[in-house]
Amino acid sequence: MPVPSPQRYASGGRRQGIDSQTLDNAIAAITRIRATDPRITPVLTLRHLSVLTELPFLFLRRTVARQERVGYRTIFLKKRIPGRSSMRRISIPPKSLAHVQNWLVQNVLQYTSAHPASFAFHPDSSPVLAAEQHPDTKWLLKVDIQDFFHSISEGTVASIFSRLGFPKLLAFELGRLCTIPCNRGPSRNPKPHPSPIEFYRSDFEGYLPQGAATSPMLANLAMSMTDQRLSALAEKFGFRYSRYADDLAFSSPNDHALADLQKLKRNVFHILNSSGFRPNLRKTVIRGPGARRIVLGMLVDGKEPRLSKEFKDNIRLHLYYLTSPQHGPQKHALSRKTGVSSMYHHVRGLIAWARQVEITYGEEALAKFKSVNWPPIQPRMVHCSLDDIMDKDD
């Protein structure tokens, strides 16, 4: 979105009778934001954001104050490998709040940069690129962050917007617009982030909702310093480091003692804990020679990532029954206790993933899939997560 030069902005402000101190503060804020990236749209106040997004100022202010009844729609998805709970909470914002969050993505967050070790939630990133960082792996340490999005507080989000150059009050307000309040129960609520004005005081600290458009990019920015520390730690131990969302991988193509991996793990845990994140102990694994070394569902013990035998066998089994005259889509879906459309999208998703990792195998599977005599298929309404298609078990 084009923004006038500081000179033209000051000239226009003087013609409207705005005092010089206010104009100087506004120009300083615009200069700070442009110094981060000239493509970021400067926003000076919540009322300014109201004009830019064409949303009522009172709605935005009451949302920031946690007084507006913002009805996030909550759904629960079953986790393949549970942590503290067996379900993943997805919070979907209402249209009005989703509009301002999408505006922030398109006009601010898409012009920010994640740490080079991060391979999720930004343009040209992918799990395959993350796995490509670990060729010829002999030793592998995998760590998962527990409740990743929910570990990032509104205070952290406000600090991110402040570092991008936005005025402190507005940074606080943007942090509130991108987070959801939560009463965690007696003695479990963290100390709320201090409110700059009394009207905004809240008893509960908000966190990033998994399901909001702003959460992925904000999570990457919240992890930037932690990624930097983990990268330095990996280099110190002679390991390579990558992060895909909440999945951390440390690998080495060289020989190591198991004690080296244990020491590395303790150091990783220390960095995560000191950064406000908790490692998921159930999903923390060490794999060495003789064991399968898998990163994000791909084997990484060779020159390039490749699909596991189990993953290919699963696709092969589906295609056998789908193309068999004795079975076909209807009988195969019935045997799996699902609908034909659900079966279609599930197998199609598996093949799409296979094409990303091993294109020749994926193309062959896709050709066979297209030869199936499918009945009319309903469009997919809810997209599966990466966990649903990747063979992440070791």
Side-chain angles (χ1 to χ4, degrees):
M1 184 176 294
V3 177
S5 67
Q7 296 87 345
R8 185 177 294 276
Y9 186 90
S11 175
R14 283 193 293 269
R15 286 198 301 270
Q16 296 182 38
I18 298 174
D19 67 271
S20 59
Q21 183 62 53
T22 300
L23 284 175
D24 288 345
N25 290 339
I27 291 171
I30 292 172
T31 302
R32 287 196 310 271
I33 294 168
R34 280 182 158 175
T36 301
D37 190 299
R39 296 170 296 177
I40 295 178
T41 301
V43 186
L44 304 178
T45 65
L46 192 66
R47 191 174 292 278
H48 187 194
L49 181 65
S50 170
V51 174
L52 292 171
T53 60
E54 300 181 341
L55 286 171
F57 170 71
L58 184 59
F59 164 76
L60 294 177
R61 193 161 193 261
R62 288 178 60 84
T63 300
V64 171
R66 307 298 196 199
Q67 294 182 1
E68 187 74 20
R69 292 186 176 274
V70 178
Y72 276 83
R73 182 166 62 91
T74 302
I75 60 175
F76 292 92
L77 301 178
K78 188 175 181 180
K79 296 180 181 178
R80 287 190 58 175
I81 304 177
R84 288 192 306 169
S85 67
S86 60
M87 306 298 287
R88 178 181 289 109
R89 179 188 180 118
I90 306 296
S91 302
I92 302 171
K95 288 184 178 180
S96 52
L97 188 55
H99 175 71
V100 69
Q101 292 172 348
N102 285 324
W103 189 93
L104 288 170
V105 169
Q106 296 300 320
N107 294 279
V108 177
L109 295 176
Q110 73 162 323
Y111 302 121
T112 61
S113 298
H115 189 276
S118 171
F119 290 87
F121 309 142
H122 58 87
D124 300 322
S125 63
S126 79
V128 177
L129 289 177
E132 286 177 352
Q133 309 310 304
H134 305 277
D136 298 317
T137 291
K138 285 187 177 180
W139 283 95
L140 175 67
L141 167 65
K142 296 199 298 182
V143 179
D144 181 89
I145 298 176
Q146 189 164 279
D147 297 329
F148 179 49
F149 288 102
H150 299 173
S151 299
I152 300 170
S153 68
E154 66 181 58
T156 299
V157 176
S159 297
I160 290 170
F161 283 111
S162 182
R163 290 198 300 271
L164 293 176
F166 292 92
K168 287 189 176 180
L169 175 58
L170 179 62
F172 174 89
E173 292 166 333
L174 294 177
R176 282 281 181 90
L177 291 172
C178 295
T179 55
I180 184 172
C182 177
N183 182 357
R184 295 166 174 82
S187 74
R188 295 181 58 192
N189 288 308
K191 185 178 180 180
H193 184 65
S195 303
I197 58 177
E198 180 61 24
F199 183 69
Y200 287 160
R201 192 182 69 81
S202 174
D203 294 330
F204 308 116
E205 178 81 345
Y207 60 78
L208 283 184
Q210 187 171 357
T214 43
S215 292
M217 295 180 186
L218 286 171
N220 265 349
L221 296 175
M223 277 291 294
S224 289
M225 184 58 67
T226 306
D227 283 333
Q228 184 175 327
R229 294 175 66 190
L230 292 172
S231 291
L233 176 68
E235 184 176 356
K236 178 182 176 182
F237 276 77
F239 275 67
R240 304 162 299 200
Y241 166 64
S242 71
R243 178 177 62 82
Y244 188 87
D246 56 358
D247 287 304
L248 283 54
F250 301 81
S251 74
S252 173
N254 303 317
D255 294 324
H256 289 273
L258 179 58
D260 296 336
L261 276 292
Q262 297 286 3
K263 185 177 180 180
L264 174 61
K265 182 179 76 170
R266 289 194 297 271
N267 280 268
V268 170
F269 282 9
H270 172 74
I271 290 175
L272 290 177
N273 286 321
S274 65
S275 302
F277 298 100
R278 291 189 302 274
N280 186 335
L281 301 182
R282 295 186 185 184
K283 297 175 71 174
T284 296
V285 296
I286 294 174
R287 294 289 181 263
R292 295 201 309 171
R293 281 136 285 165
I294 291 179
V295 172
L296 299 170
M298 290 160 278
L299 291 162
V300 292
D301 53 1
K303 296 295 181 183
E304 295 180 351
R306 66 185 197 280
L307 299 167
S308 69
K309 180 179 181 299
E310 291 81 1
F311 188 88
K312 290 183 176 180
D313 286 345
N314 186 33
I315 292 180
R316 196 172 292 116
L317 186 65
H318 278 301
L319 293 176
Y320 170 78
Y321 285 111
L322 289 170
T323 57
S324 168
Q326 289 77 31
H327 295 88
Q330 288 88 348
K331 287 186 178 180
H332 184 49
L334 183 63
S335 69
R336 296 298 181 100
K337 298 181 180 179
T338 188
V340 173
S341 293
S342 296
M343 176 61 67
Y344 175 95
H345 293 299
H346 173 68
V347 178
R348 185 66 181 83
L350 295 175
I351 294 173
W353 171 247
R355 291 178 73 206
Q356 288 189 55
V357 183
E358 295 185 31
I359 188 167
T360 301
Y361 171 81
E363 291 290 353
E364 293 173 355
L366 181 60
K368 197 166 187 179
F369 178 83
K370 288 181 176 180
S371 72
V372 176
N373 184 22
W374 292 100
I377 300 297
Q378 295 294 321
R380 186 166 209 158
M381 303 303 294
V382 178
H383 294 283
C384 63
S385 69
L386 194 62
D387 286 352
D388 294 329
I389 58 175
M390 293 192 311
D391 175 22
K392 298 183 72 174
D393 297 331
D394 289 283

